[in-house]
Coordinates of all heavy atoms in Angstrom, one line a residue:
T91 N 3.7 0.6 -10.9 CA 3.6 2.1 -10.9 C 2.2 2.6 -10.7 O 1.2 1.8 -11.0 CB 4.3 2.7 -12.0 OG1 3.7 2.1 -13.2 CG2 5.7 2.4 -12.1
N92 N 2.0 3.8 -10.4 CA 0.6 4.5 -10.3 C 0.1 4.8 -11.6 O 0.4 6.0 -12.1 CB 0.7 5.6 -9.4 CG -0.6 6.2 -9.1 OD1 -1.7 5.5 -9.3 ND2 -0.6 7.3 -8.3
N93 N -0.4 3.8 -12.3 CA -1.0 4.1 -13.6 C -2.4 3.2 -13.8 O -2.6 2.4 -12.9 CB -0.1 3.8 -14.7 CG 0.4 2.5 -14.8 OD1 -0.4 1.5 -14.5 ND2 1.6 2.3 -15.1
R94 N -3.2 3.6 -14.8 CA -4.4 2.9 -15.0 C -4.0 1.5 -15.3 O -3.0 1.1 -15.8 CB -5.1 3.5 -16.3 CG -6.4 3.0 -16.5 CD -7.0 3.7 -17.6 NE -8.1 2.9 -18.2 CZ -7.9 2.3 -19.3 NH1 -6.8 2.3 -20.1 NH2 -8.9 1.5 -19.7
G95 N -4.8 0.5 -14.7 CA -4.5 -0.8 -15.0 C -4.0 -1.4 -13.6 O -4.6 -2.2 -13.0
H96 N -2.9 -0.8 -13.2 CA -2.3 -1.1 -11.9 C -3.2 -0.7 -10.8 O -3.4 -1.5 -9.8 CB -1.0 -0.6 -11.7 CG 0.0 -1.1 -12.7 ND1 1.3 -0.4 -13.0 CD2 0.1 -2.3 -13.4 CE1 1.9 -1.1 -13.8 NE2 1.1 -2.3 -14.2
R97 N -3.8 0.5 -10.8 CA -4.5 1.0 -9.6 C -5.8 0.1 -9.6 O -6.4 -0.1 -8.5 CB -5.0 2.4 -10.0 CG -3.9 3.3 -9.7 CD -4.4 4.7 -9.8 NE -5.0 5.1 -11.2 CZ -4.3 5.8 -12.2 NH1 -3.2 6.3 -11.9 NH2 -4.9 6.0 -13.2
E98 N -6.4 -0.5 -10.7 CA -7.5 -1.3 -10.5 C -7.2 -2.7 -10.0 O -8.1 -3.3 -9.4 CB -8.1 -1.5 -11.9 CG -8.8 -0.2 -12.5 CD -7.9 0.8 -13.0 OE1 -6.7 0.5 -13.4 OE2 -8.3 2.0 -13.2
L99 N -6.0 -3.2 -10.2 CA -5.7 -4.5 -9.8 C -4.9 -4.6 -8.5 O -4.8 -5.7 -7.9 CB -4.9 -5.3 -10.9 CG -5.7 -5.4 -12.2 CD1 -4.8 -6.0 -13.3 CD2 -6.8 -6.3 -12.0
V100 N -4.2 -3.6 -8.1 CA -3.3 -3.6 -6.9 C -3.9 -2.8 -5.8 O -4.2 -1.7 -6.0 CB -1.9 -3.2 -7.2 CG1 -1.0 -3.2 -6.1 CG2 -1.2 -4.0 -8.5
K101 N -4.1 -3.5 -4.7 CA -4.5 -2.7 -3.5 C -3.2 -2.6 -2.7 O -2.6 -3.5 -2.2 CB -5.5 -3.6 -2.7 CG -6.8 -3.8 -3.4 CD -7.9 -4.0 -2.4 CE -9.3 -4.2 -3.0 NZ -9.7 -3.2 -3.8
N102 N -2.8 -1.3 -2.7 CA -1.4 -0.9 -2.1 C -1.3 -1.5 -0.7 O -2.1 -1.3 0.2 CB -1.4 0.6 -2.1 CG 0.1 1.0 -1.8 OD1 1.0 0.4 -2.3 ND2 0.3 2.1 -1.0
G103 N -0.3 -2.4 -0.6 CA 0.0 -2.9 0.7 C -0.5 -4.2 1.0 O -0.2 -4.9 2.0
E104 N -1.6 -4.6 0.2 CA -2.3 -5.9 0.4 C -1.8 -6.9 -0.6 O -1.6 -8.1 -0.2 CB -3.8 -5.7 0.1 CG -4.5 -4.9 1.2 CD -6.0 -4.9 1.1 OE1 -6.6 -5.9 0.6 OE2 -6.6 -3.8 1.3
N105 N -1.7 -6.7 -1.8 CA -1.2 -7.6 -2.9 C -0.2 -7.0 -3.7 O 0.1 -7.5 -4.8 CB -2.5 -8.1 -3.8 CG -2.9 -7.1 -4.7 OD1 -3.1 -5.9 -4.4 ND2 -3.3 -7.5 -5.9
G106 N 0.3 -6.0 -3.3 CA 1.5 -5.3 -4.0 C 1.6 -3.8 -3.6 O 1.0 -3.5 -2.6
Y107 N 2.4 -3.2 -4.2 CA 2.6 -1.7 -4.0 C 2.3 -0.8 -5.2 O 2.7 -1.2 -6.3 CB 4.0 -1.5 -3.5 CG 4.3 -2.2 -2.2 CD1 5.2 -3.3 -2.2 CD2 3.7 -1.9 -1.0 CE1 5.4 -4.0 -1.1 CE2 4.0 -2.6 0.1 CZ 4.9 -3.6 0.1 OH 5.1 -4.4 1.2
I108 N 1.7 0.3 -4.9 CA 1.5 1.3 -6.1 C 2.5 2.4 -5.7 O 2.6 3.0 -4.7 CB 0.1 2.0 -6.1 CG1 -1.0 0.9 -6.4 CG2 0.1 3.1 -6.9 CD1 -0.9 0.4 -7.7
I109 N 3.4 2.6 -6.6 CA 4.6 3.5 -6.5 C 4.5 4.5 -7.6 O 4.3 4.2 -8.8 CB 6.0 2.8 -6.5 CG1 6.0 1.8 -5.3 CG2 7.1 3.7 -6.5 CD1 7.1 0.8 -5.4
E110 N 4.7 5.8 -7.3 CA 4.7 6.9 -8.2 C 5.7 6.6 -9.4 O 6.9 6.2 -9.0 CB 4.8 8.2 -7.6 CG 3.7 8.6 -6.7 CD 2.3 8.7 -7.4 OE1 2.3 9.1 -8.5 OE2 1.4 8.3 -6.7
I111 N 5.4 7.0 -10.5 CA 6.3 6.8 -11.7 C 7.5 7.7 -11.3 O 7.4 8.8 -11.0 CB 5.6 7.2 -13.0 CG1 4.5 6.3 -13.3 CG2 6.7 7.3 -14.1 CD1 3.6 6.7 -14.4
G112 N 8.7 7.1 -11.5 CA 9.9 7.8 -11.2 C 10.5 7.8 -9.8 O 11.6 8.3 -9.5
D113 N 9.7 7.3 -8.9 CA 10.2 7.2 -7.5 C 11.1 5.9 -7.3 O 10.7 4.9 -6.8 CB 8.9 7.1 -6.5 CG 9.3 7.3 -5.1 OD1 10.5 7.2 -4.7 OD2 8.4 7.6 -4.3
K114 N 12.3 6.1 -7.8 CA 13.3 5.0 -7.8 C 13.6 4.5 -6.4 O 13.7 3.3 -6.1 CB 14.5 5.3 -8.5 CG 14.3 5.5 -10.0 CD 15.6 6.0 -10.6 CE 15.3 6.4 -12.1 NZ 16.4 7.0 -12.7
K115 N 13.7 5.5 -5.5 CA 14.0 5.1 -4.0 C 12.9 4.2 -3.4 O 13.3 3.2 -2.8 CB 14.2 6.4 -3.2 CG 14.7 6.2 -1.8 CD 14.8 7.4 -1.1 CE 15.1 7.3 0.4 NZ 15.1 8.4 1.2
R116 N 11.7 4.6 -3.6 CA 10.7 3.8 -3.0 C 10.5 2.4 -3.7 O 10.3 1.4 -3.0 CB 9.3 4.5 -3.1 CG 8.1 3.8 -2.4 CD 7.2 4.8 -1.8 NE 6.0 4.2 -1.5 CZ 5.8 3.5 -0.2 NH1 6.8 3.4 0.6 NH2 4.6 3.0 0.0
Y117 N 10.7 2.4 -5.0 CA 10.7 1.2 -5.8 C 11.7 0.3 -5.2 O 11.4 -1.0 -5.0 CB 11.0 1.4 -7.3 CG 10.9 0.3 -8.1 CD1 9.6 -0.4 -8.5 CD2 12.1 -0.3 -8.6 CE1 9.6 -1.4 -9.3 CE2 12.0 -1.5 -9.3 CZ 10.8 -2.0 -9.7 OH 10.8 -3.1 -10.5
I118 N 12.9 0.7 -5.0 CA 14.0 -0.1 -4.5 C 13.8 -0.5 -3.1 O 14.0 -1.8 -2.7 CB 15.4 0.7 -4.5 CG1 15.8 0.9 -5.9 CG2 16.4 0.0 -3.7 CD1 17.0 1.8 -6.2
E119 N 13.2 0.3 -2.2 CA 12.8 0.0 -0.8 C 11.8 -1.2 -0.8 O 11.9 -2.2 -0.1 CB 12.2 1.1 -0.1 CG 13.1 2.2 0.2 CD 12.5 3.5 0.8 OE1 11.2 3.5 0.9 OE2 13.1 4.4 1.1
K120 N 10.9 -1.2 -1.8 CA 9.8 -2.1 -1.7 C 10.3 -3.5 -2.2 O 10.0 -4.6 -1.7 CB 8.5 -1.7 -2.5 CG 7.8 -0.6 -1.7 CD 7.4 -1.0 -0.4 CE 6.8 0.1 0.4 NZ 6.6 -0.3 1.8
I121 N 11.2 -3.5 -3.2 CA 11.8 -4.7 -3.8 C 12.6 -5.4 -2.7 O 12.5 -6.5 -2.4 CB 12.6 -4.4 -5.0 CG1 11.9 -4.0 -6.2 CG2 13.5 -5.5 -5.3 CD1 10.9 -5.0 -6.8
K122 N 13.4 -4.5 -1.9 CA 14.2 -5.1 -0.9 C 13.3 -5.8 0.2 O 13.6 -6.8 0.8 CB 15.1 -4.0 -0.2 CG 16.2 -3.6 -1.1 CD 17.1 -2.6 -0.3 CE 18.3 -2.2 -1.1 NZ 19.1 -1.2 -0.4
E123 N 12.3 -5.0 0.5 CA 11.3 -5.5 1.5 C 10.8 -6.8 1.1 O 10.7 -7.8 2.0 CB 10.1 -4.6 1.8 CG 9.1 -5.0 2.8 CD 8.0 -4.0 3.0 OE1 7.9 -3.0 2.1 OE2 7.3 -4.1 3.9
L124 N 10.4 -7.1 0.0 CA 9.8 -8.3 -0.6 C 10.9 -9.5 -0.6 O 10.5 -10.5 -0.3 CB 9.2 -8.1 -2.0 CG 7.9 -7.3 -2.0 CD1 7.6 -6.9 -3.4 CD2 6.9 -8.0 -1.2
I125 N 12.1 -9.1 -0.9 CA 13.2 -10.0 -0.9 C 13.5 -10.5 0.5 O 13.7 -11.7 0.7 CB 14.5 -9.4 -1.5 CG1 14.4 -9.2 -3.0 CG2 15.7 -10.3 -1.1 CD1 15.5 -8.4 -3.7
E126 N 13.4 -9.6 1.4 CA 13.7 -9.9 2.9 C 12.6 -10.6 3.6 O 12.9 -11.1 4.7 CB 14.1 -8.6 3.6 CG 15.5 -8.0 3.1 CD 15.9 -6.6 3.5 OE1 15.0 -6.0 4.2 OE2 16.9 -6.1 3.2
K127 N 11.4 -10.5 3.1 CA 10.2 -11.0 3.8 C 9.5 -12.0 3.0 O 8.4 -11.6 2.4 CB 9.4 -9.9 4.2 CG 9.9 -8.9 5.2 CD 9.0 -7.7 5.6 CE 9.7 -6.8 6.6 NZ 8.8 -5.7 6.9
P128 N 9.9 -13.2 2.9 CA 9.2 -14.2 2.1 C 7.7 -14.4 2.5 O 6.9 -14.7 1.7 CB 10.0 -15.5 2.4 CG 11.3 -15.1 3.1 CD 11.1 -13.8 3.7
S129 N 7.4 -14.3 3.7 CA 6.1 -14.4 4.3 C 5.2 -13.3 3.7 O 4.0 -13.6 3.3 CB 6.0 -14.6 5.7 OG 6.4 -13.4 6.4
L130 N 5.7 -12.2 3.6 CA 4.9 -11.0 2.9 C 4.9 -11.4 1.5 O 3.7 -11.2 1.0 CB 5.7 -9.7 3.2 CG 5.0 -8.5 2.5 CD1 3.7 -8.2 3.0 CD2 5.9 -7.3 2.7
R131 N 5.8 -11.8 0.8 CA 5.8 -12.1 -0.6 C 4.7 -13.2 -0.9 O 3.9 -13.0 -1.8 CB 7.1 -12.6 -1.0 CG 7.7 -12.0 -2.2 CD 9.0 -12.5 -2.6 NE 9.5 -13.8 -2.2 CZ 10.6 -14.0 -1.4 NH1 11.2 -13.0 -0.9 NH2 10.8 -15.1 -1.1
K132 N 4.7 -14.2 0.0 CA 3.8 -15.3 -0.2 C 2.4 -14.7 0.0 O 1.4 -15.1 -0.8 CB 4.0 -16.4 0.8 CG 3.2 -17.6 0.6 CD 3.7 -18.6 1.6 CE 3.0 -20.1 1.5 NZ 1.6 -20.1 1.6
A133 N 2.1 -14.0 1.0 CA 0.8 -13.5 1.4 C 0.2 -12.6 0.2 O -0.8 -12.7 -0.2 CB 0.8 -12.7 2.7
M134 N 1.1 -11.8 -0.3 CA 0.7 -10.8 -1.4 C 0.4 -11.6 -2.7 O -0.5 -11.3 -3.4 CB 1.7 -9.7 -1.6 CG 1.8 -8.7 -0.7 SD 2.9 -7.4 -1.1 CE 2.5 -6.1 0.0
G135 N 1.2 -12.7 -2.9 CA 0.9 -13.5 -4.1 C -0.3 -14.3 -3.9 O -1.1 -14.3 -4.9
E136 N -0.7 -14.8 -2.8 CA -1.9 -15.5 -2.5 C -3.1 -14.4 -2.7 O -4.3 -14.8 -3.3 CB -2.0 -16.1 -1.1 CG -1.1 -17.3 -1.1 CD -0.9 -17.9 0.3 OE1 -1.4 -17.2 1.2 OE2 -0.1 -18.9 0.4
K137 N -3.0 -13.2 -2.2 CA -4.1 -12.2 -2.3 C -4.2 -11.9 -3.8 O -5.4 -11.7 -4.4 CB -3.6 -11.0 -1.5 CG -4.6 -9.9 -1.5 CD -5.9 -10.3 -0.6 CE -6.8 -9.1 -0.5 NZ -8.0 -9.3 0.2
S138 N -3.1 -11.7 -4.5 CA -3.2 -11.4 -6.0 C -3.9 -12.5 -6.7 O -4.8 -12.3 -7.5 CB -1.9 -11.2 -6.6 OG -1.4 -10.1 -6.1
Q139 N -3.6 -13.7 -6.4 CA -4.3 -14.9 -7.0 C -5.8 -14.8 -6.9 O -6.7 -15.1 -7.7 CB -3.8 -16.2 -6.6 CG -2.3 -16.5 -7.2 CD -1.9 -17.8 -6.7 OE1 -2.2 -18.3 -5.8 NE2 -0.9 -18.3 -7.5
E140 N -6.2 -14.5 -5.5 CA -7.7 -14.5 -5.2 C -8.3 -13.3 -6.0 O -9.5 -13.4 -6.5 CB -7.8 -14.3 -3.6 CG -9.2 -14.3 -3.1 CD -9.8 -15.7 -3.4 OE1 -9.1 -16.8 -3.3 OE2 -11.0 -15.8 -3.6
M141 N -7.7 -12.2 -6.0 CA -8.2 -11.0 -6.7 C -8.3 -11.2 -8.2 O -9.1 -10.6 -8.9 CB -7.4 -9.8 -6.4 CG -7.5 -9.4 -4.9 SD -6.5 -8.0 -4.4 CE -7.3 -6.6 -5.3
A142 N -7.5 -12.0 -8.8 CA -7.5 -12.2 -10.1 C -8.6 -13.3 -10.6 O -8.9 -13.3 -11.9 CB -6.1 -12.9 -10.6
K143 N -9.2 -14.0 -9.7 CA -10.2 -14.9 -10.2 C -11.3 -14.4 -11.0 O -11.8 -15.2 -11.9 CB -10.7 -15.7 -8.9 CG -9.8 -16.6 -8.3 CD -10.4 -17.4 -7.1 CE -9.4 -18.4 -6.6 NZ -9.8 -19.1 -5.4
P144 N -11.8 -13.3 -10.8 CA -12.8 -12.8 -11.6 C -12.4 -12.5 -13.0 O -13.3 -12.3 -13.9 CB -13.4 -11.5 -10.9 CG -12.8 -11.4 -9.6 CD -11.6 -12.3 -9.7
Y145 N -11.2 -12.5 -13.4 CA -10.7 -12.0 -14.7 C -10.3 -13.4 -15.5 O -9.3 -13.4 -16.1 CB -9.6 -11.1 -14.5 CG -9.9 -9.8 -13.8 CD1 -9.6 -9.7 -12.5 CD2 -10.6 -8.8 -14.4 CE1 -9.9 -8.5 -11.7 CE2 -10.9 -7.7 -13.7 CZ -10.6 -7.6 -12.4 OH -11.0 -6.5 -11.7
T146 N -11.3 -14.2 -15.6 CA -11.0 -15.5 -16.4 C -11.0 -15.0 -17.9 O -11.6 -14.0 -18.3 CB -12.0 -16.5 -16.2 OG1 -13.3 -16.0 -16.7 CG2 -12.1 -17.0 -14.8
I147 N -10.3 -15.7 -18.7 CA -10.2 -15.3 -20.2 C -11.6 -15.3 -20.8 O -12.1 -14.4 -21.6 CB -9.3 -16.3 -20.9 CG1 -9.1 -15.9 -22.3 CG2 -9.9 -17.8 -21.0 CD1 -8.2 -14.6 -22.4
E148 N -12.5 -16.3 -20.3 CA -13.9 -16.2 -20.8 C -14.7 -15.0 -20.5 O -15.3 -14.4 -21.4 CB -14.7 -17.4 -20.3 CG -14.2 -18.8 -20.7 CD -13.0 -19.3 -19.9 OE1 -12.6 -18.7 -18.9 OE2 -12.4 -20.3 -20.4
K149 N -14.5 -14.5 -19.3 CA -15.2 -13.3 -18.9 C -14.6 -12.0 -19.5 O -15.4 -11.2 -19.9 CB -15.1 -13.2 -17.3 CG -16.0 -14.1 -16.6 CD -15.9 -13.9 -15.1 CE -16.7 -14.9 -14.3 NZ -16.6 -14.7 -12.9
V150 N -13.3 -12.0 -19.6 CA -12.6 -10.9 -20.4 C -13.0 -10.9 -21.8 O -13.3 -9.8 -22.4 CB -11.1 -11.0 -20.1 CG1 -10.4 -10.0 -20.9 CG2 -10.8 -10.8 -18.7
M151 N -13.1 -12.0 -22.4 CA -13.4 -12.0 -23.9 C -14.9 -11.7 -24.1 O -15.1 -10.9 -25.0 CB -13.1 -13.5 -24.5 CG -11.7 -13.8 -24.5 SD -10.8 -12.6 -25.6 CE -11.4 -13.1 -27.2
K152 N -15.7 -12.1 -23.2 CA -17.2 -11.7 -23.3 C -17.3 -10.1 -23.2 O -18.0 -9.4 -23.9 CB -18.0 -12.4 -22.2 CG -19.4 -12.3 -22.4 CD -20.1 -13.1 -21.3 CE -21.0 -14.2 -22.0 NZ -21.8 -15.0 -21.2
E153 N -16.5 -9.6 -22.2 CA -16.6 -8.1 -21.9 C -16.1 -7.4 -23.2 O -16.6 -6.3 -23.7 CB -15.9 -7.7 -20.7 CG -16.1 -6.3 -20.2 CD -17.5 -5.9 -19.9 OE1 -18.3 -6.8 -19.5 OE2 -17.9 -4.9 -20.1
M154 N -14.9 -7.8 -23.8 CA -14.3 -7.3 -24.9 C -15.3 -7.3 -26.0 O -15.5 -6.3 -26.9 CB -12.9 -7.8 -25.3 CG -11.9 -7.7 -24.3 SD -11.6 -5.8 -24.0 CE -11.0 -5.4 -25.7
E155 N -16.0 -8.4 -26.3 CA -16.9 -8.6 -27.4 C -18.0 -7.5 -27.3 O -18.5 -6.9 -28.2 CB -17.5 -10.0 -27.4 CG -18.5 -10.2 -28.6 CD -19.0 -11.7 -28.5 OE1 -18.8 -12.4 -27.6 OE2 -19.8 -12.0 -29.5
K156 N -18.6 -7.3 -26.0 CA -19.6 -6.4 -25.8 C -19.1 -5.0 -26.1 O -19.9 -4.2 -26.8 CB -20.0 -6.5 -24.3 CG -21.0 -5.5 -23.9 CD -21.3 -5.7 -22.3 CE -22.0 -4.5 -21.8 NZ -22.1 -4.5 -20.3
I157 N -17.9 -4.7 -25.7 CA -17.4 -3.3 -26.0 C -17.2 -3.1 -27.5 O -17.8 -2.1 -28.1 CB -16.0 -3.1 -25.4 CG1 -16.2 -3.1 -23.9 CG2 -15.3 -1.9 -26.0 CD1 -14.9 -3.2 -23.0
Y158 N -16.7 -4.1 -28.3 CA -16.6 -4.0 -29.7 C -17.9 -3.8 -30.4 O -18.1 -3.0 -31.4 CB -15.8 -5.2 -30.3 CG -14.3 -5.1 -30.0 CD1 -13.6 -6.0 -29.4 CD2 -13.6 -3.9 -30.4 CE1 -12.3 -6.0 -29.2 CE2 -12.3 -3.8 -30.2 CZ -11.6 -4.9 -29.6 OH -10.2 -4.8 -29.4
K159 N -18.9 -4.6 -30.0 CA -20.3 -4.6 -30.6 C -20.8 -3.1 -30.3 O -21.4 -2.6 -31.3 CB -21.2 -5.5 -30.0 CG -20.8 -6.9 -30.5 CD -21.9 -8.1 -30.0 CE -21.5 -9.4 -30.6 NZ -22.4 -10.5 -30.1
E160 N -20.6 -2.6 -29.2 CA -21.2 -1.1 -28.9 C -20.5 -0.2 -29.8 O -21.1 0.7 -30.4 CB -20.9 -0.9 -27.4 CG -21.8 -1.5 -26.5 CD -21.4 -1.2 -25.0 OE1 -20.6 -0.2 -24.8 OE2 -21.9 -1.9 -24.1
I161 N -19.2 -0.2 -30.0 CA -18.5 0.5 -31.0 C -18.9 0.5 -32.4 O -19.1 1.5 -33.1 CB -16.9 0.3 -30.9 CG1 -16.4 0.8 -29.5 CG2 -16.2 1.1 -31.9 CD1 -15.0 0.4 -29.1
I162 N -19.0 -0.8 -32.8 CA -19.5 -1.1 -34.2 C -20.9 -0.6 -34.5 O -21.2 0.0 -35.5 CB -19.3 -2.5 -34.5 CG1 -17.9 -3.0 -34.5 CG2 -20.0 -2.9 -35.8 CD1 -17.6 -4.5 -34.6
N163 N -21.8 -0.8 -33.5 CA -23.2 -0.3 -33.7 C -23.5 1.2 -33.5 O -24.6 1.6 -33.6 CB -24.0 -1.1 -32.8 CG -24.0 -2.6 -33.1 OD1 -24.0 -2.9 -34.3 ND2 -24.1 -3.5 -32.2
K164 N -22.4 2.0 -33.3 CA -22.6 3.5 -33.1 C -22.8 4.1 -34.5 O -22.3 3.8 -35.4 CB -21.5 4.0 -32.4 CG -21.5 3.8 -31.0 CD -20.5 4.7 -30.1 CE -20.7 4.5 -28.7 NZ -19.8 5.2 -27.9

């Protein structure tokens, strides 16, 4: 859905779809499309894996530590 977090990780039409909250019709359309097109599903999955590489647990934990230290030191 179109919310914080998803917008940062999903490039609409490239590695998934951003759908407005409550738009059941479009959600169903896109699910059907992915069911009917295995090659599209595969391509989007591969693109998602590539886009996720920068988000290793080590990098995320380091960034979270930085944020917490900034908060504590205020």
Side-chain angles (χ1 to χ4, degrees):
T91 54
N92 187 7
N93 60 36
R94 194 174 150 257
H96 294 159
R97 286 188 299 260
E98 288 79 18
L99 297 174
V100 177
K101 293 205 183 298
N102 195 36
E104 289 184 38
N105 70 322
Y107 297 109
I108 297 292
I109 298 169
E110 293 302 319
I111 295 170
D113 190 346
K114 294 175 188 175
K115 182 179 177 187
R116 185 146 167 81
Y117 182 79
I118 291 167
E119 288 171 1
K120 292 303 176 185
I121 293 294
K122 284 182 179 179
E123 180 179 11
L124 291 169
I125 289 169
E126 294 168 356
K127 297 180 180 178
S129 61
L130 176 63
R131 229 178 24 246
K132 184 177 188 298
M134 284 188 166
E136 290 170 355
K137 182 72 173 179
S138 289
Q139 287 178 340
E140 188 64 34
M141 292 175 73
K143 284 183 179 179
Y145 301 100
T146 64
I147 190 70
E148 293 83 10
K149 288 180 182 178
V150 171
M151 293 300 291
K152 192 176 238 183
E153 190 63 29
M154 291 302 296
E155 181 180 8
K156 180 180 161 187
I157 291 168
Y158 284 125
K159 284 181 178 179
E160 286 176 12
I161 292 169
I162 290 170
N163 293 326
K164 281 188 176 183

